Amino acid sequence: MLDPGPRAGGGDLHEPIGAIRIAGLDAIEFRHYQGKRMIQTRKDIARPGAEPRILVVEDDSALALLLAYNLEAEGYVVESVERGDEAELRLAENPPDLVILDWVLPGVSGLEICRRLRARKKTSRLPVIMVTGLGEEAQRVRGLSIGADDYVVKPFSVPELMGRVRALLRRSRPERFAKRLCAGDLDLDRETRRVRRGTRDIDLGPTEFRLLEFLLGKPGRVFTRAQLLDGIWGQATEIDERTVNVHVGRLRRRLSNMSERDPIRTVRGTGYAFDETFGKR
């Protein structure tokens, strides 16, 4: 059983997981959250914008739910899978910003998944936190040597794990936590939700703002329309991919006057990218 840390209302750590009070969540609320997450449709999930995405790979469904609740409370976008082979597919399709990875999994072990992540250029620097019941020093050394960035042994403190997640994301993706994103004469302020180009204020709607923030956070990276749907509207959306074209068109018209350079690059047959050369030539 996990230590949920000091929470209002206390909670007996020896009670079943559904009865634990975590982050102000009592037994009834936890079961409601559990049921809501199980039946959640693609329209029900909050639109994440550019929030960090975390993949939880854990075959204990109660533990996975506990982690998902606490991570979502921290503002992250969370996806959970129970099998190692399913995690492999998700990681190949659309790598997250961080993986919480159990050591012992059906299909493919967490250790093997970590080894494969480090062997691929695309995921060689993807932050990985290994979670395991194996507390021996030899196991910890093996997990870290294979490429894990951090290692926690069950039972562990959930608040401590949340702190480790924050620290890893700060080191690996500092732009996620920057208050402002800038490229050339384009300036996006995350705190005030304002965008300026030179001396001109640009009025963007919520969706266009998230779209610009998402692209500007990874200059040069080409995103497919499906990836943009997942990143801006959430993996739960039922919106047609052609909607992305509409919003990119609106964003372009807002960002660029007739004489100004378009900072968004179209990659024919693939998707869109923020031009990494924007403001450099």
Side-chain angles (χ1 to χ4, degrees):
M1 188 60 63
L2 299 182
D3 172 14
R7 302 291 185 188
D12 186 352
L13 299 186
H14 297 288
E15 296 177 15
I17 195 165
I20 296 176
R21 187 176 183 85
I22 38 178
L25 193 74
D26 62 23
I28 295 174
E29 292 169 331
F30 186 89
R31 285 192 291 270
H32 174 72
Y33 169 79
Q34 184 179 33
K36 182 179 179 182
R37 204 167 197 272
M38 294 295 184
I39 64 174
Q40 207 169 29
T41 66
R42 293 178 75 83
K43 292 182 180 178
D44 291 330
I45 296 179
R47 297 174 181 176
E51 292 88 348
R53 293 173 47 250
I54 295 177
L55 178 65
V56 175
V57 189
E58 171 60 63
D59 62 343
D60 182 335
S61 58
L63 174 54
L65 193 68
L66 174 66
L67 293 176
Y69 173 78
N70 281 272
L71 289 165
E72 288 174 355
E74 294 271 332
Y76 304 120
V77 178
V78 182
E79 184 178 7
S80 300
V81 297
E82 295 185 355
R83 294 183 56 86
D85 45 6
E86 185 179 357
E88 281 272 89
L89 292 174
R90 301 295 173 89
L91 288 163
E93 289 171 358
N94 191 13
D97 296 292
L98 182 142
V99 181
I100 297 177
L101 183 62
D102 193 12
W103 181 302
V104 180
L105 293 167
V108 181
S109 74
L111 200 65
E112 177 60 20
I113 291 174
C114 187
R115 188 191 67 76
R116 294 177 186 179
L117 287 173
R118 293 298 175 250
R120 301 187 195 113
K121 184 177 180 180
K122 186 178 180 181
T123 56
S124 62
R125 296 188 178 183
L126 177 64
V128 175
I129 299 178
M130 294 287 294
V131 177
T132 180
L134 305 171
E136 292 81 3
E137 182 179 0
Q139 261 73 28
R140 292 199 298 272
V141 170
R142 187 181 177 196
L144 293 170
S145 64
I146 209 75
D149 297 278
D150 206 345
Y151 192 107
V152 292
V153 179
K154 304 173 187 177
F156 55 82
S157 162
V158 172
E160 179 184 348
L161 178 60
M162 296 301 107
R164 294 185 183 209
V165 167
R166 287 192 296 271
L168 258 181
L169 286 172
R170 276 197 301 270
R171 291 200 301 268
S172 64
R173 297 294 305 280
E175 73 277 5
R176 288 282 193 178
F177 298 90
K179 294 179 181 178
R180 294 170 62 187
L181 296 175
C182 302
D185 60 352
L186 194 60
D187 187 331
L188 181 148
D189 190 316
R190 283 174 161 155
E191 290 192 339
T192 64
R193 313 297 286 181
R194 291 179 178 173
V195 176
R196 291 178 62 86
R197 182 160 187 179
T199 59
R200 177 167 62 93
D201 287 320
I202 299 174
D203 184 20
L204 296 180
T207 301
E208 281 71 42
F209 184 92
R210 289 195 301 270
L211 180 57
L212 177 60
E213 183 182 21
F214 192 84
L215 293 170
L216 189 51
K218 298 179 180 178
R221 176 171 170 179
V222 178
F223 293 95
T224 66
R225 290 166 181 80
Q227 287 172 333
L228 289 171
L229 278 177
D230 288 346
I232 309 303
W233 285 268
Q235 294 192 355
T237 189
E238 293 177 345
I239 299 173
D240 190 276
E241 288 188 7
R242 288 172 293 184
T243 302
V244 174
N245 301 343
V246 174
H247 285 282
V248 169
R250 288 178 184 171
L251 178 60
R252 280 176 154 154
R253 288 192 293 273
R254 296 284 188 177
L255 292 179
S256 304
N257 290 329
M258 295 296 292
S259 60
E260 293 176 315
R261 181 182 171 190
D262 183 1
I264 298 175
R265 181 165 57 92
T266 300
V267 181
R268 190 176 298 277
T270 303
Y272 301 97
F274 189 92
D275 191 343
E276 70 276 22
T277 67
F278 179 75
K280 297 179 181 179
R281 63 183 184 186

